[in-house]
């Protein structure tokens, strides 16, 4: 399973895109995701992390941001959040995930269009989450396949002229409520 997760990570992070810089006041790259960002099903606040990015190439027309659980459903992962059509003049998202005019989220693997915080199932071990911003040469509807949001993330990765990623981890919570999922 680690080999499959590594393969997905290579596809989503690797490739020909130039490097950008992605930062978050709410995430430490490679560290545990804070309780505020965890799903309410696991006792968290389900607050989307704040992000800022820079270093996109000239000619960038839009950005996209994805959150993929690399551990779930190998080899493609589970898409928690897919935001597209972030205007080229926008270089940050606030904590809570409010989107600027023109941007929108597309349904993730669970069908929802809002941020869906981590809540790995009990017995599955630590999950790794990949947050990636993509600089795109055009509007994203031209790039997005119909269907699985994981295919959308892969299409974004293939079309990006630059990208940057952060990773975070989350462990299963023994107090999972099974309560409502964010939509």
């Amino acid at each position: 399973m680690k080999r499959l997760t590594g393969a997905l990570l290579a596809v989503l992070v690797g490739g020909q895109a130039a490097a950008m810089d992605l930062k978050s006041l709410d995430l430490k790259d490679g560290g545990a995701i804070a309780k505020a960002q965890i799903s309410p099903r696991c006792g968290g606040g389900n607050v989307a992390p704040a992000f800022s990015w820079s270093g996109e190439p000239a000619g960038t027309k839009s950005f996209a941001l994805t959150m993929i659980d690399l551990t779930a459903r190998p080899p493609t992962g589970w898409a928690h959040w897919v935001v597209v059509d972030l205007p080229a003049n926008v270089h940050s998202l606030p904590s809570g995930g409010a989107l600027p005019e023109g941007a929108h989220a597309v349904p993730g693997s669970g069908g929802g269009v809002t941020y869906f915080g981590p809540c790995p199932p009990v017995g599955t071990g630590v999950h790794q989450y990949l947050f990636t911003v993509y600089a795109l040469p055009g509007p994203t509807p031209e790039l997005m396949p119909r269907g699985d949001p994981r295919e959308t993330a892969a299409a974004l990765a293939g079309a990006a002229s630059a990208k940057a990623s952060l990773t975070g981890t989350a462990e299963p919570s023994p107090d999972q409520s099974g309560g409502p999922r964010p939509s």
Side-chain angles (χ1 to χ4, degrees):
M1 183 158 93
K2 285 186 179 181
R3 187 172 59 189
L4 292 174
T5 300
L8 176 63
L9 185 61
V11 167
L12 295 178
V13 177
Q16 300 300 317
M20 290 176 56
D21 188 37
L22 177 62
K23 295 181 181 177
S24 176
L25 297 175
D26 300 320
L27 294 170
K28 180 182 175 200
D29 191 25
I33 296 172
K35 193 78 158 178
Q37 279 74 51
I38 299 293
S39 169
R41 293 173 53 93
C42 286
N46 206 53
V47 176
F51 291 102
S52 63
W53 55 89
S54 61
E56 74 278 4
T60 296
K61 302 289 187 221
S62 68
F63 296 101
L65 178 74
T66 60
M67 174 188 175
I68 308 290
D69 179 346
L70 298 173
T71 310
R73 297 194 178 173
T76 57
W78 179 268
H80 278 255
W81 198 29
V82 180
V83 178
V84 297
D85 288 329
L86 290 158
N89 65 340
V90 171
H91 291 88
S92 64
L93 287 179
S95 180
L99 300 179
E101 186 174 335
H104 63 280
V106 297
S109 295
V113 294
T114 60
Y115 175 80
F116 179 65
C119 186
V122 173
T124 62
V126 175
H127 283 225
Q128 183 179 20
Y129 296 84
L130 180 68
F131 299 85
T132 303
V133 63
Y134 301 95
L136 300 164
T140 50
E142 298 172 8
L143 307 171
M144 292 174 25
R146 300 265 188 244
D148 193 313
R150 296 166 295 183
E151 292 175 10
T152 299
L156 292 170
S161 55
K163 57 189 166 184
S165 297
L166 296 172
T167 60
T169 62
E171 295 186 47
S173 171
D175 62 345
Q176 288 187 24
S177 68
R181 291 180 170 271
S183 57

